[in-house]
Amino acid sequence: MTRQKIYGSILFAGLTTATCFTACKKDFLDQKKLSAIDETSVFQDSTRSLGVINNLYSSLGISFNPRRFNNTGLDAACDESEPLPDPTFYTYRISSGGINANNADGGLWATAFRMIRSANIFLKNKDSIPVTNATRDYWVGQVRFLRAWYLFTLTKHYGGIPMIGDKIFSDNEKIDVARSSYETCIKYITNELDAAAAALPLSYRPGDVNQLKVTKGAALAVKARMLLYAASPLFNSGPKGNDPENLLSFSSADPERWKQAADAAKAVIDLGVYSLYTASATPLYTLFLQNTPQAEHVLVYWQPWTTGNNFYVEASANPTSRGGMNGWTGTKYFPTQELVDEFDMINGRRITDPASGYPGIGNDMYKNRDPRLTYTIHYNGAIRNMGSFGDQPVNTYTGVIPTGNAAVTSASVDGIYTSTGTITGYFRYKMCNGGGGELYRPWVVMRYAEVLLNAAEATNEYAGPTTEVYSWLKMIRSRAGIIEGENGLYGLKAGMTKDEMREAIRHERRIELAFEEHRFWDIRRWKIAPQTENAETHGMEITRAANGRFSYRVIPIRKHVFTEAMYFWPIPQSELTKSPALRQTPGY
């Protein structure tokens, strides 16, 4: 068995047992009606009990999933990238302001509560499992973590949700539970993550059968992310007039919440088990291609080792010449000019800074940029493997396309305005296999760079731009390949104010965490979506003349729409019909 298959099988060995068993038992985990025999047969068998835990991991990446909506994730629902111009695509509808209770996606709501119910069934029966007390405590720690993860994912989308605790509803019982306040939800989830952290190991030895499962650091890091969200302006600016039950915010603003978030992130740093991945000349690219646990991994979804699941980005992000979907038969998405313009010059200065050395739009506009640009986005002229042709430029231009082999003429299938090409002049490259073929690797849901950025943001908001804040940003920018500079600040300005540092941190998050399901939520929690999302996105039109010269023009792509209600998601009408006590998200 190959190394990839071994690692892909460790976590899901128990999942196969759970899947086969629940199929034989008519999906007992998904049903409301449970017989005592069904539960007994599962939880008096340690292997089947472990299968229940492993099944709880199976939807861990549901919010992060790059295929969540017809092969697009939430990066295609904000100003990071543009999906194909089809109003039937859900991500297109989101950024067009077209979501309501009747057409809202219900997949996350249903899946998360199904997983929460499964966790509650496990916890109810935990004492029946024939394992040692130490094993039981470890298993319970995993289950409490995963239940808390699904609860946090729900609050991220909806604000306050029905908090059912350990309750398991029977088939004959009416499920009619009101939503709890946002503060109640955060307190409960915080307690659960703390309890999980206390029961989980700090790390695993290489080759440990549990090596791909969650750790103490994962629980603490999720708590830190959640508290960062909770401290942010969307939730921490006092009550909202249309929300008397405080479903969408705390009842009062409190700057101490920033300190809580900072302390939580620092607790992860102080564990001393994580570090930035540097084992490559192009670390931010190769990190996502590793098929073994890495020191930067904090929370990782190790999906099954199958081609259908592991070609999860390339199918909708690759240029057609490199194995992307043929034509627009499936959903594809393309980075925006807005994202491209965020990448600094290699000296760490913004391209809008006259001292940066940016030459302006033209032949050299992608040269000497922050190296993360090349390994996040493929632009015209970026080099990428093309099978038997070897490394070749990605051609996104329009105009006169030369004759010759497929490498030379690739603009005919990849170029802007072609039926199979880019609509913005760019393709995503981050997380994609450069060779275009199948490659087993996990979804990196949380990594140490985010922890550092979370700590930097929360600390700056509470105490200003301390030495620690500078240090964390310098670590990230140094790893990226930005030049240190004479002052040793990697392009950062010395003596920044809190406001200046806030913008520097937000800028760094947008670059470092691009396409990792952050931008969509960041612009909401910072309450800047009315500016970033009520705006037109743009692309780069490059036209090739017969003599081979290029001309360049920034072009508009689409006007996005954002309303106040869109900070949160509507609860699907079908759920409101089933549970009248549920109150719809204010604004819908």
Side-chain angles (χ1 to χ4, degrees):
M1 183 178 286
T2 65
R3 180 177 64 174
Q4 293 94 329
K5 288 187 177 180
I6 290 172
Y7 277 96
S9 301
I10 290 174
L11 178 57
F12 289 89
L15 178 57
T16 303
T17 302
T19 303
C20 294
F21 176 72
T22 54
C24 295
K25 293 294 182 180
K26 298 182 181 178
D27 300 325
F28 102 93
L29 287 177
D30 295 340
Q31 292 198 19
K32 297 176 183 176
K33 187 172 184 178
L34 296 175
S35 70
I37 295 175
D38 285 337
E39 289 190 45
T40 300
S41 64
V42 172
F43 294 106
Q44 288 187 356
D45 184 310
S46 61
T47 301
R48 288 172 171 172
S49 299
L50 180 59
V52 174
I53 298 175
N54 289 341
N55 189 61
L56 286 170
Y57 281 90
S58 65
S59 294
L60 185 150
I62 184 172
S63 183
F64 175 93
N65 191 346
R67 288 181 170 178
R68 184 175 175 187
F69 305 111
N70 269 43
N71 284 327
T72 59
L74 288 175
D75 50 278
C78 63
D79 61 354
E80 262 190 340
S81 59
E82 277 290 342
L84 295 178
D86 187 335
T88 66
F89 294 151
Y90 199 73
T91 48
Y92 188 97
R93 275 196 229 157
I94 291 174
S95 53
S96 297
I99 304 300
N100 56 57
N102 292 309
N103 66 14
D105 175 79
L108 183 133
W109 181 276
T111 299
F113 275 113
R114 185 169 63 248
M115 290 297 172
I116 292 164
R117 184 171 190 277
S118 176
N120 286 351
I121 292 170
F122 181 96
L123 295 173
K124 171 190 171 186
N125 291 280
K126 67 182 187 302
D127 293 330
S128 301
I129 305 172
V131 292
T132 65
N133 289 337
T135 297
R136 182 180 295 107
D137 290 345
Y138 169 54
W139 286 6
V140 168
Q142 291 181 70
V143 171
R144 292 183 76 173
F145 168 83
L146 290 162
R147 180 173 66 174
W149 172 256
Y150 291 115
L151 288 168
F152 169 50
T153 302
L154 285 165
T155 63
K156 186 169 65 174
H157 286 73
Y158 301 102
I161 58 171
M163 297 299 293
I164 60 175
D166 295 332
K167 175 72 175 177
I168 302 168
F169 291 92
S170 66
D171 188 51
N172 297 322
E173 190 172 1
K174 182 179 180 182
I175 304 176
D176 198 13
V177 183
R179 297 170 68 169
S180 299
S181 70
Y182 180 74
E183 183 170 9
T184 298
C185 295
I186 296 303
K187 286 182 177 179
Y188 179 87
I189 302 170
T190 297
N191 290 336
E192 286 298 295
L193 289 169
D194 282 339
L200 293 171
L202 189 62
S203 60
Y204 298 99
R205 293 179 181 178
D208 189 318
V209 69
N210 295 307
Q211 188 179 6
L212 307 185
K213 294 187 177 180
V214 294
T215 61
K216 178 187 187 75
L220 295 180
V222 171
K223 182 179 80 167
R225 180 195 282 186
M226 182 181 70
L227 293 180
L228 179 75
Y229 279 36
S232 298
L234 179 62
F235 303 100
N236 194 24
S237 298
K240 305 179 191 300
N242 65 343
D243 182 27
E245 297 169 313
N246 297 310
L247 301 177
L248 309 183
S249 67
F250 291 102
S251 58
S252 61
D254 185 355
E256 289 298 312
R257 293 192 179 103
W258 285 117
K259 185 176 188 303
Q260 294 169 10
D263 289 346
K266 289 178 186 178
V268 181
I269 296 171
D270 291 343
L271 292 176
V273 298
Y274 300 110
S275 60
L276 296 178
Y277 175 84
T278 57
S280 166
T282 58
L284 192 66
Y285 174 65
T286 55
L287 168 65
F288 297 97
L289 306 184
Q290 302 305 305
N291 58 27
T292 57
Q294 301 297 318
E296 189 163 346
H297 291 169
V298 176
L299 179 61
V300 176
Y301 170 47
W302 295 90
Q303 52 198 339
W305 192 89
T306 60
T307 299
N309 282 327
N310 292 316
F311 203 63
Y312 66 92
V313 175
E314 291 87 348
S316 50
N318 273 354
T320 299
S321 67
R322 269 72 167 182
M325 288 183 174
N326 292 323
W328 286 2
T329 55
T331 307
K332 299 183 79 170
Y333 54 97
F334 309 93
T336 62
Q337 188 66 44
E338 282 72 19
L339 176 57
V340 172
D341 288 345
E342 285 291 311
F343 288 86
D344 300 332
M345 298 300 289
I346 198 168
N347 58 20
R349 294 179 179 270
R350 301 294 300 269
I351 65 171
T352 54
D353 183 342
S356 69
Y358 179 62
I361 295 175
N363 290 339
D364 297 328
M365 61 183 167
Y366 306 121
K367 292 182 179 179
N368 298 317
R369 300 285 288 272
D370 180 333
R372 289 175 290 188
L373 172 60
T374 300
Y375 299 108
T376 302
I377 295 169
H378 266 354
Y379 44 81
N380 189 66
I383 302 300
R384 180 168 178 180
N385 183 272
M386 193 176 174
S388 61
F389 294 105
D391 289 344
Q392 295 290 335
V394 174
N395 295 315
T396 66
Y397 59 79
T398 187
V400 180
I401 300 173
T403 59
N405 60 39
V408 174
T409 65
S410 62
S412 64
V413 293
D414 296 336
I416 196 167
Y417 307 134
T418 62
S419 62
T420 57
T422 173
I423 64 173
T424 65
Y426 300 104
F427 292 97
R428 169 180 171 174
Y429 190 48
K430 192 174 185 177
M431 302 181 193
C432 292
N433 179 16
E438 172 61 18
L439 180 69
Y440 176 76
R441 74 280 198 206
W443 296 355
V444 184
V445 180
M446 288 192 73
R447 57 189 178 93
Y448 189 52
E450 181 204 336
V451 174
L452 295 176
L453 287 167
N454 291 348
E457 180 179 348
T459 301
N460 180 65
E461 293 298 336
Y462 185 73
T466 65
T467 301
E468 278 187 317
V469 173
Y470 270 97
S471 175
W472 293 323
L473 291 185
K474 285 162 58 179
M475 288 170 63
I476 292 171
R477 291 168 75 82
S478 173
R479 191 270 295 271
I482 291 174
I483 296 172
E484 182 177 3
E486 293 181 1
N487 62 0
L489 293 180
Y490 298 91
L492 296 172
K493 177 184 173 183
M496 281 190 270
T497 65
K498 177 189 286 191
D499 289 345
E500 288 173 330
M501 180 58 81
R502 177 186 299 124
E503 291 308 309
I505 292 168
R506 292 181 178 184
H507 168 66
E508 200 67 30
R509 287 183 71 91
R510 189 169 188 188
I511 296 169
E512 176 72 21
L513 303 178
F515 301 123
E516 296 182 52
E517 205 220 343
H518 287 282
R519 178 67 176 173
F520 183 89
W521 302 111
D522 282 348
I523 60 179
R524 282 161 171 75
R525 67 182 180 86
W526 293 330
K527 295 192 74 174
I528 64 171
Q531 291 76 49
T532 65
E533 292 304 293
N534 275 322
E536 201 163 44
T537 58
H538 295 83
M540 178 62 66
E541 176 193 87
I542 302 177
T543 303
R544 183 182 184 277
N547 62 5
R549 292 182 179 178
F550 292 107
S551 59
Y552 303 85
R553 184 169 71 98
V554 175
I555 57 171
I557 302 297
R558 181 167 66 98
K559 174 70 164 62
H560 287 201
V561 175
F562 186 87
T563 65
E564 188 74 15
M566 291 171 62
Y567 278 117
F568 298 91
W569 290 36
I571 295 177
Q573 185 60 44
S574 58
E575 300 297 334
L576 297 174
T577 301
K578 290 186 290 186
S579 302
L582 276 180
R583 184 186 171 200
Q584 181 57 276
T585 303
Y588 290 97

